[in-house]
Amino acid sequence: MKFATKAIHSGSDPDPETGAIMPPIYMTSTFVYDAPGESRGYEYTRAHNPNFTILEKTLAALENGKYATVFSSGLGALTNMISTLEPNDKVLAIDGVYGGTFRLFTKVFNKFGIQFETFTPRSLDDLEVKLEQKPKWLLFETPTNPLLEVFDIEAFASLAKKHGVATIVDNTFATPYFQNPLDLGADVVWHSTTKYIGGHSDVIGGVVISNDKDFKEQMDFLRMSLGVNPSPFEAWLLTRGLKTLAVRMEQHQKNAMAIAKFLESHPEVDKVYYPGLESHKDHALAKRQMRGFSGMVSAEFKFSLEEAKKLIQHFKFFALAESLGGVESLVNHPATMTHASIPAEERARIGLSDGLIRFSAGIEDTEDLITDLSEQLNKMSNSRKEVFQ
Ligand SMILES: *Cc1c(COP(=O)(O)O)cnc(C)c1O
């Protein structure tokens, strides 16, 4: 099966009893035993639920992995993974990780002795020096948020393997439709399924996928122990969302490319970050590693911070909101919204300026989105001209 077919046909068959083509929602906390000690594989929803199993099968299939475990959120998935570490274990992360990932390590798990270091490798040699210090994990996202930097998964994972370090890739931005880190040598891939996988801005969820049976058992054990399970309804919503992932991603990408090209040619824009643009510093790597460039675009505007803030409040179709990957387009100011949990000096160090604006291209009509951008940008430049006249 190819991707779009797997998204629809893997995971569950029509219900044998009723013929229902979609699986029912097993909205139950507990399951009846046939006899003491003899369950039918499910006992209690904090541990397992048929809706989890269905979603896990589909997600594993889409990432070309053997095993998946689903969670209450992306950060729930990460919490579960971090719980496999011991005090003084070290995690090496590459700059550009999600703000909440950074916060979870530096504000919560630091108390338990988990060491966390972020850095930007300028070369593979640079990375090797860090890997020689034997961190447990090499953790990164590609493309990153919000600068859409792309890292070479295959090169990084093979170097990590050489040093006995596990490679863990957050594939939320690319989605399994455009990129499969396990195929490129990563040990674990995880997602905030809240984003493109759910796709309709109506559910929070996470998943961890690997080819390692022991790791899968560890993930299931810890999910039950920590209580970071989703609800059956949320798992069902994600199963439903996945069925249209392929067509949605095509339109997200089409809109993102149009937005990136429009902004790149606009006189009020200094710089556009989109891996699909030839001007992007990692374009060649993105083309080689990914099957498409996904739906996120960031741009530096020539406007002052105050002007930029005004601009992002007046779009017709780009709602001012955190998150991404839903059917509706969103606009976000990383410095005051998604990345506010990263200290200002750290933001400056990683090149995240106050004038940066991030767009999540939805799946609306492309022309409507460009018209909206164009009208609002013209209004801003005209109002500035009036001030100077
Ligand atoms: C949103 C997000 C997360 C966290 O996921 P939640 O579902 O919000 O807990 C992690 N990584 C990336 C790249 C994200 O965008």
Side-chain angles (χ1 to χ4, degrees):
M1 282 190 276
K2 300 246 172 43
F3 190 95
T5 315
K6 277 198 271 189
I8 294 165
H9 291 284
S10 65
S12 74
D13 295 320
D15 184 48
E17 237 170 80
T18 63
I21 198 152
M22 275 296 279
I25 309 171
Y26 292 86
M27 211 67 196
T28 184
S29 57
T30 193
F31 297 82
V32 175
Y33 281 62
D34 290 331
E38 275 178 43
S39 71
R40 299 184 194 177
Y42 296 99
E43 295 93 23
Y44 189 60
T45 286
R46 177 156 35 71
H48 306 276
N49 180 284
N51 289 112
F52 305 174
T53 312
I54 292 164
L55 177 60
E56 285 166 354
K57 279 191 189 156
T58 314
L59 284 168
L62 293 180
E63 278 292 10
N64 300 330
K66 287 203 181 97
Y67 309 104
T69 302
V70 293
F71 297 94
S72 54
S73 69
L75 290 183
L78 183 61
T79 297
N80 212 69
M81 285 194 282
I82 299 173
S83 303
T84 63
L85 298 174
E86 306 279 338
N88 299 317
D89 279 352
K90 186 165 165 180
V91 172
L92 178 65
I94 296 180
D95 285 324
V97 289
Y98 178 69
T101 295
F102 186 87
R103 182 177 55 206
L104 187 56
F105 280 104
T106 57
K107 294 267 160 76
V108 181
F109 280 99
N110 58 329
K111 290 199 286 283
F112 301 103
I114 307 295
Q115 313 283 319
F116 182 69
E117 182 184 348
T118 54
F119 93 122
T120 297
R122 283 152 305 167
S123 66
L124 285 176
D125 289 342
D126 224 25
L127 178 61
E128 186 149 31
V129 170
K130 295 282 184 191
L131 292 170
E132 277 162 3
Q133 297 166 11
K134 299 280 172 219
K136 280 279 174 200
W137 301 353
L138 173 64
L139 182 78
F140 60 96
E141 286 167 35
T142 177
T144 62
N145 175 18
L147 294 176
L148 290 314
E149 259 188 288
V150 180
F151 299 119
D152 190 334
I153 300 173
E154 199 162 19
F156 285 19
S158 93
L159 206 53
K161 195 152 282 161
K162 181 175 150 198
H163 292 278
V165 178
T167 301
I168 298 186
V169 178
D170 179 340
N171 202 27
T172 301
F173 268 41
T175 81
Y177 184 67
F178 288 130
Q179 171 173 283
N180 295 116
L182 296 179
D183 289 347
L184 299 169
D187 297 287
V188 176
V189 51
W190 67 288
H191 290 267
S192 166
T193 54
T194 310
K195 315 294 166 54
Y196 290 108
I197 287 175
H200 296 75
S201 312
D202 53 9
V203 61
I204 301 276
V207 65
V208 168
I209 303 158
S210 76
N211 284 310
D212 182 336
K213 190 156 190 278
D214 292 341
F215 184 72
K216 160 70 175 162
E217 281 168 11
Q218 220 179 355
M219 288 297 101
D220 285 359
F221 169 79
L222 286 167
R223 178 179 64 187
M224 172 189 70
S225 306
L226 292 166
V228 282
N229 57 287
S231 87
F233 179 53
E234 288 166 329
W236 183 92
L237 276 175
L238 290 164
T239 290
R240 177 189 154 152
L242 270 179
K243 292 187 190 279
T244 56
L245 183 62
V247 284
R248 282 189 286 110
M249 291 319 295
E250 288 294 341
Q251 184 70 9
H252 283 299
Q253 162 168 258
K254 179 179 171 219
N255 284 344
M257 185 65 101
I259 291 168
K261 285 191 170 152
F262 169 79
L263 292 177
E264 192 168 47
S265 68
H266 200 283
E268 295 287 2
V269 178
D270 259 337
K271 190 167 167 59
V272 180
Y273 301 90
Y274 183 63
L277 289 178
E278 276 174 26
S279 61
H280 189 280
K281 70 178 180 65
D282 303 322
H283 179 65
L285 170 60
K287 254 174 86 172
R288 175 155 55 84
Q289 173 165 284
M290 305 173 73
R291 294 180 290 270
F293 310 105
S294 210
M296 300 301 294
V297 180
S298 292
E300 293 277 359
F301 286 84
K302 290 185 175 149
F303 300 125
S304 69
L305 178 59
E306 283 316 307
E307 287 171 325
K309 277 188 177 165
K310 202 163 142 196
L311 172 75
I312 61 181
Q313 290 178 53
H314 289 97
F315 290 118
K316 252 193 248 151
F317 303 122
F318 293 86
L320 181 63
E322 300 198 0
S323 197
L324 60 112
V327 291
E328 56 288 290
S329 292
L330 303 179
V331 62
N332 158 52
H333 181 234
T336 57
M337 295 167 66
T338 43
H339 291 65
S341 60
I342 298 178
E345 352 35 288
E346 178 65 11
R347 284 203 305 269
R349 187 182 70 79
I350 61 180
L352 216 161
S353 78
D354 286 351
L356 189 77
I357 293 180
R358 188 188 82 177
F359 296 88
S360 171
I363 63 169
E364 298 94 336
D365 181 87
T366 314
E367 232 178 274
D368 285 341
L369 294 181
I370 300 300
T371 305
D372 190 19
L373 281 177
S374 171
E375 282 178 4
Q376 295 314 314
L377 279 169
N378 288 346
K379 266 191 217 160
M380 281 303 300
S381 16
N382 289 341
S383 75
R384 178 157 51 176
K385 276 180 211 134
E386 279 157 25
V387 173
F388 287 121
Q389 266 161 11

